[in-house]
Amino acid sequence: MADSAQAQKLVYLVTGGCGFLGEHVVRMLLQREPRLGELRVFDRHLDPWLEELKTGPVRVTAIQGDVTEAHEVAAAVAGAHVVIHTAGLVDVFGRASPETIHEVNVQGTRNVIEACVQTGTQFLVYTSSMEVVGPNTKGHPFYRGNEDTLYEAVHRHPYPCSKALAERLVLEANGREVHGGLPLVTCALRPTGIYGEGHQIMRDFYRQGLRLGGWLFRAIPASVEHGRVYVGNVAWMHVLAARELERRAALMGGQVYFCYDGSPYKSYEDFNMEFLGPCGLQLVGARPLLPYWVLVFLAALNALLQWLLRPLVLYAPLLNPYTLAVANTTFTVSTDKAQRHFGYEPLFSWEDSRTRTILWVQAAGSSAQ
Ligand SMILES: NC(=O)C1=CN([C@@H]2O[C@H](COP(=O)(O)OP(=O)(O)OC[C@H]3O[C@@H](n4cnc5c(N)ncnc54)[C@H](O)[C@@H]3O)[C@@H](O)[C@H]2O)C=CC1
Ligand SMILES: CC(C)[C@@H](O)CC[C@@H](C)[C@H]1CC[C@H]2[C@@H]3[C@H](O)CC4=CC(=O)CC[C@]4(C)[C@H]3CC[C@]12C
């Protein structure tokens, strides 16, 4: 991208561009990347809203493809200046097999890296996750940690294992020579729990509350804090990192950055109530209504039922041993590394993020009735 940014029009590729985060990255690029000449949206499932984007000045190319297919990835990457790789299988509910999770998240990422090297794409931003760090299998809290905090990142679940391996592949690829002789420059962004317009888990909580007459029942102590970050700010961090990666390659190349903004530190359930409360739901109980050991039993029962029913039907409730353990372990970040390295400041205030999310939940809920 050495030519003058104003003159040269750039080609971006967003993998997973029809996902919850991916859609916000696509729209943010169209709004805030003036050098954009072509935006390629690569996803296994293409959504109809992509068509409305094709009427603007930027050429939007929708590519239906699978990141596990190396030749499809190479064809999509060829000619791109920047790749933002958000495609992934975000499954902690047992919907997909461990092998499939690994195939998509690890082999898919390997395919993206090799495509950049083979076709000469120099800049790669990877959507990693807080889960690469924790919570670990020992339930150790990560309290106001940052990218340099020492923490025993021990995982057994397929999802965090796959994200950790994929992130390592991306960071190790930094500096590899790409076709044409220039170095590949990579970085990885680690969002904590993302919320905002399009968050399906939030929608599921809302619909569950509607089914229960407007009540949700506390399962996790209010003292267990979970870091959350607004999807618009995560998208903005991706766009900014992609833009600055060339200019600040020596500083940013091979680095990881937690995604953060002004969202308050609360328990997962209390944070959700910031949006579900104004939508009419109430969280019952100042403390968990059930003893933790009962929740552990119910989570284990869900896992057993999922295994027994799998030949007949997919049973994938929110409560399982992994989600209970994660929800019950404090994980919050406090960092300014992205600000120091590439000038990131959240684009959306907490108040704005909250309002946008409430409006979306209300609309999603009314469409459910
Ligand atoms: N949702 C969250 O709270 C967090 C998500 N992340 C990461 O952000 C990224 C995006 O996550 P979400 O938007 O939440 O998930 P999502 O499931 O909404 O989006 C993922 C997108 O990737 C696409 N995809 C999946 N497998 C594919 C394949 N084999 N080939 C091509 N496309 C494929 C899906 O169709 C979907 O559009 C993921 O890498 C995830 O690990 C990281 C931290 C938190
Ligand atoms: C049923 C109750 C115990 C309820 O409180 C369970 C909530 C549970 C579904 C969520 C609690 C923490 C969430 C995870 C966290 O935000 C970190 C994540 C990072 C990612 O990369 C993907 C999503 C997730 C694993 C997220 C998933 C949902 C929770 C486990």
Side-chain angles (χ1 to χ4, degrees), residues 16 18-22 42-45 65-68 86-88 90 104 127-129 159 163 191-194:
C18 290
F20 165 40
L21 172 61
F42 182 93
D43 203 301
R44 197 171 44 178
H45 304 303
D66 189 330
V67 290
T68 65
T86 82
V90 185
V104 173
T127 310
S128 180
S129 169
Y159 176 73
K163 294 302 288 186
T192 53
I194 306 175

